[in-house]
Amino acid sequence: MNRFFRHRNLYKYCAILLFLWCLGVLHAQQRQQARQPTRANLEEQSQRLQRQIQTNNRMLEEASRNRRTNVQQLTIINSQINQREELILTITNEISAVDSDIQTIENEITTLEGNIQDLIDEYTRLIVATHRHRNPSQRFLFIVASESFHQAYRRIIFFRQYSEHRKRQVELIRERQSELSELRSELEQEKNTKAELLSREQAERRNLDTERARRNRTISDLQRRERELRAENQRHEAERRRLSQQIERIIQQEIEAAARRAAEEAARRGQVADVAQLTPEEQQLANEFVSNRGRLPWPTERGLITERFGTHDHPVIRGIRVNNDGITITTPQNEPVRAVFNGTVVAIQPFGNTSVVIIVHGNYRTVYTNLASVSVRIGQAVTTRQTIGVVHRHDGRDFVGFQLWRDLQKLDPEQWLARR
């Protein structure tokens, strides 16, 4: 009888041990799932930066064909350096994340090895206990010695469960050993990943040193040409003022024409027109445009902002301030220009040997300048990301000017575009 109770207590102990082990495995899986988003985000950010760096390299190669170094090249190099530094930081964070994962896996391996040893020890005790009842006649006598039929039935069930539990112990040991093998394989993969990341980090640091040296050479070259750059800047600023006046005049005329159309429509219906009032369709479009602030697609698929909105210092020449009614996006050659939102083309205006396209979105207007060719017409409805033209090469550089107006108020377009 004492042996029976010892075996029953041993069975309860095994059940508790198995329950605790399952909790440990579940907790490890939860840790694994919790760390995956961080790694995924870092890898996605790293890929995004590498794509932008490749685009920058292409633009720098195209710019280097120009015999003269220009300010745009310096801006691209500065952007390249910033993105390279961000990429190195991202790789460093990836290495830290991999280190954390390696430590977690090593802890899980240690825990699993302990669990396997506990299961083996328990299985050994089961074998010893089974050995005591290896003779069928002893098991039979133990059962018939029961004080009641109910007790005899419980002893029969005990022996059956005891045998099944021993088989299950063997299966558990094999399963845990298989999991241990998988964890060790995963650990080896993580160590290889870390080695690759360390190699990439070293390569990116060498590239960063090369780009910093190139920036210093570019600055020195530009500073030697200060007089020439001042004359070039004066010419560009004069062009910008003429372009700004032309765009403002076009928008003013377009607003006045819309007001006249509203007045004529109201007169036809015998109503008093409110020229400041948008039609329901225009108001809905304006509301949709505003709701996408910070999420609008870029007017080009590739490129980087090389000059921001507003008045700011010249990147090389001291004491000179430059003004931009929008942003300047430098791109690879022959880059398509796209509408950033649904709207209607209200103006296509020549400016020198380039074209300007204006698209209305309710009481908002997007302006696309320095287009070599235009693929839309006035009055045409366009959709988000629809191609409207191609970037023009000007003074050895390819760029598009992008402006955003609310009625006659100039806004910073960068605040409305999605982050790259």
Side-chain angles (χ1 to χ4, degrees), residues 348-360:
I348 300 175
Q349 187 72 20
F351 185 77
N353 57 349
T354 69
S355 296
V356 178
V357 174
I358 302 178
I359 301 176
V360 65

Side-chain angles (χ1 to χ4, degrees), residues 112-163:
L112 190 54
E113 288 174 340
N115 289 335
I116 290 174
Q117 188 60 49
D118 290 341
L119 289 171
I120 292 174
D121 293 343
E122 178 56 29
Y123 181 72
T124 302
R125 287 193 289 270
L126 287 174
I127 293 298
V128 172
T130 303
H131 182 76
R132 294 172 182 169
H133 297 287
R134 67 185 182 278
N135 191 332
S137 60
Q138 291 180 339
R139 291 198 294 270
F140 176 76
L141 292 174
F142 181 67
I143 293 172
V144 299
S146 303
E147 298 176 357
S148 65
F149 175 80
H150 179 67
Q151 187 182 63
Y153 175 76
R154 287 172 58 191
R155 291 184 178 184
I156 292 173
I157 295 299
F158 165 75
F159 280 118
R160 183 179 302 169
Q161 292 179 341
Y162 204 83
S163 176

Side-chain angles (χ1 to χ4, degrees), residues 16 28 54 103 117 201 230 234 237 255 263-264 280 293 295 316 325 338 342 361 382 411:
I16 293 172
Q54 289 174 357
Q103 184 62 51
Q117 188 60 49
E201 183 183 35
R230 286 182 181 274
Q234 290 177 357
E237 288 300 304
I255 291 175
E264 291 170 359
R293 178 188 173 102
R295 299 197 304 271
V316 178
D325 290 338
R338 315 175 298 180
N342 300 335
H361 320 273
V382 295
L411 304 177

Side-chain angles (χ1 to χ4, degrees), residues 105-370:
I105 294 173
E106 288 177 342
N107 292 340
E108 290 173 0
I109 288 175
T110 301
T111 301
L112 190 54
E113 288 174 340
N115 289 335
I116 290 174
Q117 188 60 49
D118 290 341
L119 289 171
I120 292 174
D121 293 343
E122 178 56 29
Y123 181 72
T124 302
R125 287 193 289 270
L126 287 174
I127 293 298
V128 172
T130 303
H131 182 76
R132 294 172 182 169
H133 297 287
R134 67 185 182 278
N135 191 332
S137 60
Q138 291 180 339
R139 291 198 294 270
F140 176 76
L141 292 174
F142 181 67
I143 293 172
V144 299
S146 303
E147 298 176 357
S148 65
F149 175 80
H150 179 67
Q151 187 182 63
Y153 175 76
R154 287 172 58 191
R155 291 184 178 184
I156 292 173
I157 295 299
F158 165 75
F159 280 118
R160 183 179 302 169
Q161 292 179 341
Y162 204 83
S163 176
E164 292 175 354
H165 179 62
R166 191 179 70 178
K167 294 178 181 179
R168 178 57 182 159
Q169 283 293 101
V170 174
E171 294 174 359
L172 283 174
I173 291 172
R174 289 173 179 171
E175 290 175 3
R176 300 298 86 83
Q177 287 175 336
S178 176
E179 292 176 9
L180 180 61
S181 177
E182 291 177 0
L183 277 175
R184 285 172 175 164
S185 176
E186 183 180 352
L187 177 63
E188 187 64 25
Q189 292 176 0
E190 291 295 327
K191 289 181 177 180
N192 291 337
T193 299
K194 179 181 178 180
E196 293 174 1
L197 287 171
L198 287 170
S199 177
R200 277 183 54 200
E201 183 183 35
Q202 293 174 357
E204 295 299 338
R205 291 189 182 280
R206 289 193 295 269
N207 291 333
L208 180 61
D209 291 338
T210 300
E211 287 160 358
R212 284 172 173 166
R214 182 175 183 178
R215 178 176 62 182
N216 293 336
R217 291 194 303 270
T218 302
I219 291 174
S220 297
D221 186 24
L222 291 172
Q223 288 174 341
R224 285 194 297 268
R225 296 172 44 225
E226 181 174 339
R227 180 178 299 179
E228 182 182 345
L229 290 179
R230 286 182 181 274
E232 182 180 288
N233 182 73
Q234 290 177 357
R235 187 175 73 254
H236 287 168
E237 288 300 304
E239 288 179 358
R240 284 182 176 180
R241 285 193 295 270
R242 289 198 304 271
L243 178 61
S244 179
Q245 293 169 1
Q246 186 170 331
I247 291 173
E248 187 168 357
R249 183 171 61 253
I250 293 171
I251 293 177
Q252 179 68 57
Q253 292 172 353
E254 194 267 325
I255 291 175
E256 293 172 355
R260 285 195 301 272
R261 290 193 298 269
E264 291 170 359
E265 180 65 20
R268 188 179 66 82
R269 296 181 179 181
Q271 300 173 347
V272 177
D274 182 359
V275 295
Q277 182 72 31
L278 297 175
T279 66
E281 295 79 10
E282 291 171 338
Q283 187 61 60
Q284 180 180 356
L285 184 59
N287 292 341
E288 292 174 355
F289 187 85
V290 172
S291 67
N292 280 274
R293 178 188 173 102
R295 299 197 304 271
L296 294 176
W298 279 44
T300 59
E301 184 177 354
R302 297 170 300 174
L304 60 94
I305 297 175
T306 50
E307 190 174 319
R308 288 183 157 76
F309 175 79
T311 303
H312 43 272
D313 293 329
H314 190 280
V316 178
I317 307 173
R318 294 181 181 180
I320 291 183
R321 304 276 285 174
V322 295
N323 181 66
N324 196 337
D325 290 338
I327 58 175
T328 300
I329 301 175
T330 298
T331 71
Q333 278 187 288
N334 302 318
E335 183 75 9
V337 180
R338 315 175 298 180
V340 300
F341 201 70
N342 300 335
T344 303
V345 178
V346 293
I348 300 175
Q349 187 72 20
F351 185 77
N353 57 349
T354 69
S355 296
V356 178
V357 174
I358 302 178
I359 301 176
V360 65
H361 320 273
N363 63 326
Y364 288 84
R365 290 163 182 81
T366 50
V367 182
Y368 311 79
T369 68
N370 199 50

Side-chain angles (χ1 to χ4, degrees), residues 40-82:
N41 291 341
L42 288 170
E43 290 173 3
E44 181 181 355
Q45 182 179 1
S46 178
Q47 292 171 3
R48 175 183 61 81
L49 289 167
Q50 288 179 50
R51 287 194 299 269
Q52 185 61 62
I53 288 173
Q54 289 174 357
T55 300
N56 291 351
N57 283 332
R58 178 178 173 182
M59 291 188 294
L60 283 172
E61 289 175 4
E62 293 173 354
S64 64
R65 297 171 189 167
N66 185 16
R67 295 180 179 179
R68 294 186 308 167
T69 303
N70 56 46
V71 176
Q72 208 75 4
Q73 292 176 2
L74 176 61
T75 307
I76 296 173
I77 294 172
N78 284 333
S79 175
Q80 187 84 322
I81 289 173
N82 292 336

